[in-house]
Each structure stands twice: as structure tokens, then as C-alpha cells.
Amino acid sequence: MFLASGIFIITLIFVIWQPKGLQIGTTAIIGAIVALILKVVNFNDVLDVTNIVWDATLAFIGIIILSMVLDEIGFFEWCAIKMAKLSNGSGIKMFIYSLLLGSFVSAIFANDGAALILTPIILAKMKILKLNTKTILAFILAGGFISDSASLPFVFSNLTNIVTANYFNIGFFEYLSNMILPYIVSTLISIFVLWLILGKDIPKNIDISLLKDPDEVLKSKTLFKFSWFFLLILLIGYFVGDYFDLPVSLFALSGAIIFLAIASYTKNAKAWLTIKNAPWQVVWFSIGLYIVVYGLKNAGLTDYLSNILMHLSTKGDFVAVISTGFISAFLSAIMNNMPTVMIMDIALKNVPHDVLAYANIIGCNLGPKMTPFGSLATLLWLHVLSKKGVHIGFWQYTKFGLLVTPPVLFIVLLTLI
């Protein structure tokens, strides 16, 4: 256990630190190679990991490519300006509408999509509106939180969702029917708690006349209107794929390629540039870090967790669900939610309590918000902000995360009971 833990901790430190521009995927692959050399894992383990994460990883790439193309044609900027205009200059309405927009984007385009695409747009609009630093930070912190707390309703809304759904053979419709209520409750309670904590920094009135008309930011109104129809067809495709037991990535990736081809043909996007700028490092990060974590499984961590979860499952639904959710949340906060979800899925495999798989997802989606390194989405979000000149310190973020996350997590978990 000591060797496997050491490799994992060192790998995670370098993922967070990123010295001299060392990218997260490269670090994860180096960690995986070290684990192989030191025989913490073997090549059969690599095949097992690849089998677990390939669908989630390819689906993620597809969703991000689709998000990038939509961003290129002005889709998200239009939504952000429209949201601001609908507030009629009310600070509280703009705060609520921005979080509802974040919830929508996170659900449809995954939490990483919300972090990568929507955050810089919202930040730019806040600066145009000439809001002070505290107000901008309040909007940014709230938006960053909702990107993860709202990534629950669909299998494709978060990598953790896909991994768990595939591991337990949960179909698209079955997953949605179980997670739609937690999603709604999570969105509403997140908005309420975030307002309680950040509302003092939101002005009563905001001058929205400084913003452009939404239609002015669109590259092509025709393609913009078509994109709504395309997203609906893609969503229907997920349900059809569920009926025929097809992988989520088949629709996410093929849909992205088709829309990219259409946007390129109409000269509203450059296919080669979009593919080049896609976050390929995430592919290596997913596979590499999962291999490193598999070493912890081989060292007995999953057996230990399985015994704890088995014991908790005998204490009734309330104890089992709340405990599982908070164990997942705590592990995600200290060792990142990507490895946590796989470790917990393996540990839950023989626990006769199906609802605990959903408790694990909720814990892995919300728990990471307690620390800056809890999720890939948060790491990407902080990286995007730092490039835009907004720096959020470790303790500043952690203090905020520890204040907001536990009450939201507890209430959302109650929806499973």
C-alpha cells in the first residue's frame, strides 16, 4: 500500500503543481509508467482501466469539441447576454439567471464544458458591466460551484456519471429517471446557499445598457437556430442508443464531428483548429491517473472500503446513502474525483444497495468543490481564470468550498432516500 500510495500522491502533486508547464496528461502517463515499472500494476490492469474509461473519455472529447464549435459561432455568448438582459438590471435576478444558465450548460455540455467555455464569457461580461472586484469574484465563485453541483441529470453531464453508469450497466433513461430530482434540488439549493453566502457582494442594480444586443455576437443566425434543433436530435439519439445498448460516446463524438463538419462547410469554424485545440491531455490524464489509482486497488484499498460500505448498508437507507455520499465527497476532495469514482465503484460492486451508486456520483460531483484540486473541472477553471488575471488562492477557495459544499451535498443526498 505504501508504494502505491506514494506513486499516487507524487503524481497528484505534479498534476496540481504543473511545474514548468508540465501538462496534467503527461504527468499522469509518467505516473502510470512508473507504476508499471515498479509492478504496482500490470498490463492486464491497463486493459481493465482502458475498458472502464474509454467510453467516458471519448464522450468527453466529443462534448468539448461540440462546445468549442458552439462557442465559436457565439452560442454561449448569446445565452450569457440574453440572461443578463432578462434580468432587467436587477442584481439578484442576474445572479440567479447566471446560475440557471450555468446549470443548463453543465447538464448539456458537462461540467468541464461549463468551466472552460462559460467562465471566460461570464467574466468578460462582468467587466463590460463595470462591476467591482468583489462582485465579479462572487459571480465567478458561484458559477464555478454550479458547474459541478449541476452536473447530475444526464449520463454525459460528468465523466464520473459515464464511468459509474457503464460500470453498473445503468441505461441512459434509467439514469435520468433517478437523477432528475437530485439535479433540480441541487440547482435550487445551490442557488439558495450561494446567495446566502455571496449575496452581500451583489449590487441591487446593474447597468445592462452597456451590453451588446444578443444577436450581434452571432456568426450565423441560421446555424445558431439550427444548433438548437441539432441538440434536440442529439438528445433523442441518446435515448435511442439506450434502447439498443449503444455507448454514449458513439453519439457524443459522432454528433460533435457532424456539427463541426457543418460549421466548417458553412465557414463558421475551422475543423483543424478546433481538433488541434481540443483538450487531448484529458485523454492521457484519464487513462494515466486511473492506472495509478488501480495500484491502490491492487494494494487493498477497495477491499477496505468495500467492508466499510457493506457495514453501512446494513444500517438503513439514511445512514447508507449519507455515509456513502460523504465518503465519496471526502475522498474526492483530497485525491480528486476521477480516481475516487473508480475506487468507490469497485468497492460498491458487491454491496447489495443499488442506490449507493447514485450516492457515489453525487459525492464525487459535489465533494470536489471543497478543495481546488478536487476535480479536473476546478483545475481547468482555475487555470482559465489565472490566464484572465483572476487569481484565487488555495485557502480562499477551500474556505468557500467547505462552507458551501456540505449543506448542499447533504440535502441533495436526501433526495435518494
Side-chain angles (χ1 to χ4, degrees):
M1 177 67 83
F2 178 77
L3 184 57
S5 299
I7 293 172
F8 170 75
I9 291 169
I10 292 171
T11 301
L12 193 58
I13 287 172
F14 276 86
V15 164
I16 297 164
W17 182 23
Q18 297 181 39
K20 296 184 179 180
L22 185 64
Q23 298 192 66
I24 58 174
T26 305
T27 297
I29 289 296
I30 292 172
I33 292 171
V34 171
L36 276 167
I37 292 172
L38 297 180
K39 298 183 179 180
V40 171
V41 294
N42 56 49
F43 284 103
N44 287 330
D45 294 331
V46 174
L47 294 176
D48 287 342
V49 168
T50 304
N51 186 52
I52 292 171
V53 305
W54 72 268
D55 188 33
T57 304
L58 292 179
F60 171 81
I61 291 295
I63 291 167
I64 293 299
I65 288 176
L66 178 59
S67 301
M68 291 171 68
V69 179
L70 288 170
D71 182 46
E72 184 69 20
I73 68 173
F75 180 93
F76 296 107
E77 189 172 2
W78 183 94
C79 291
I81 295 175
K82 194 72 174 176
M83 168 273 297
K85 295 283 187 180
L86 286 173
S87 72
N88 291 321
S90 166
I92 184 172
K93 285 184 179 179
M94 187 177 293
F95 185 79
I96 292 171
Y97 292 167
S98 68
L99 292 180
L100 290 174
L101 174 60
S103 175
F104 165 76
V105 173
S106 181
I108 303 298
F109 301 100
N111 59 329
D112 299 288
L116 284 170
I117 305 296
L118 195 58
T119 296
I121 292 173
I122 295 294
L123 178 59
K125 299 312 160 196
M126 295 298 103
K127 289 181 177 178
I128 290 173
L129 291 169
K130 298 180 179 179
L131 300 178
N132 63 45
T133 303
K134 280 190 174 182
T135 300
I136 292 176
L137 187 61
F139 272 97
I140 292 300
L141 284 172
F145 185 85
I146 203 76
S147 67
D148 277 319
S149 69
S151 63
L152 297 172
F154 299 109
V155 169
F156 54 76
S157 299
N158 198 314
L159 281 172
T160 58
N161 304 359
I162 304 174
V163 169
T164 302
N166 286 346
Y167 192 80
F168 291 103
N169 296 312
I170 302 172
F172 187 85
F173 181 75
E174 179 187 355
Y175 179 92
L176 175 61
S177 63
N178 280 287
M179 292 298 272
I180 189 65
L181 179 60
Y183 165 69
I184 294 170
V185 170
S186 184
T187 297
L188 296 178
I189 195 63
S190 293
I191 292 173
F192 176 72
V193 173
L194 288 166
W195 174 255
L196 284 180
I197 294 170
L198 301 171
K200 64 183 184 300
D201 295 323
I202 306 299
K204 289 184 178 180
N205 298 297
I206 297 173
D207 184 9
I208 58 173
S209 65
L210 297 170
L211 295 173
K212 294 179 179 179
D213 183 81
D215 289 348
E216 290 181 29
V217 302
L218 296 175
K219 266 192 177 181
S220 169
K221 288 185 180 180
T222 302
L223 189 58
F224 171 74
K225 292 176 181 177
F226 172 74
S227 66
W228 291 99
F229 172 74
F230 185 85
L231 289 173
L232 178 61
I233 294 300
L234 187 58
L235 188 59
I236 293 172
Y238 287 120
F239 284 101
V240 173
D242 180 32
Y243 182 80
F244 291 102
D245 198 27
L246 298 173
V248 172
S249 60
L250 176 65
F251 295 90
L253 192 55
S254 60
I257 292 171
I258 291 169
F259 195 80
L260 175 60
I262 293 171
S264 298
Y265 179 76
T266 56
K267 300 188 185 306
N268 288 295
K270 295 179 180 179
W272 67 270
L273 191 59
T274 300
I275 293 173
K276 177 186 175 183
N277 292 330
W280 297 109
Q281 279 285 318
V282 175
V283 176
W284 318 127
F285 174 81
S286 297
I287 296 173
L289 194 59
Y290 273 126
I291 290 170
V292 171
V293 169
Y294 214 79
L296 294 175
K297 179 258 183 188
N298 291 344
L301 177 60
T302 52
D303 293 334
Y304 178 70
L305 281 173
S306 187
N307 290 334
I308 294 174
L309 295 168
M310 188 72 77
H311 174 71
L312 291 171
S313 70
T314 65
K315 301 299 181 180
D317 288 351
F318 179 84
V319 172
V321 168
I322 301 300
S323 299
T324 299
F326 271 88
I327 288 172
S328 296
F330 176 73
L331 289 176
S332 294
I334 63 172
M335 61 182 263
N336 194 273
N337 67 338
M338 292 293 285
T340 296
V341 74
M342 185 173 75
I343 288 292
M344 287 294 289
D345 283 343
I346 294 171
L348 285 166
K349 185 68 173 179
N350 297 315
V351 178
H353 221 61
D354 294 343
V355 74
L356 297 187
Y358 296 105
N360 180 33
I361 290 173
I362 292 172
C364 286
N365 289 8
L366 273 73
K369 305 313 292 182
M370 290 188 279
T371 62
F373 50 81
S375 74
L376 177 61
T378 303
L379 289 170
L380 292 171
W381 177 76
L382 289 169
H383 180 65
V384 168
L385 289 176
S386 65
K387 288 175 66 177
K388 299 291 182 180
V390 179
H391 300 282
I392 300 175
F394 177 89
W395 291 115
Q396 181 185 15
Y397 181 91
T398 302
K399 189 163 59 175
F400 168 77
L402 288 173
L403 191 63
V404 178
T405 305
V408 175
L409 175 60
F410 179 76
I411 293 172
V412 176
L413 286 170
L414 289 178
T415 62
L416 297 177
I417 300 172

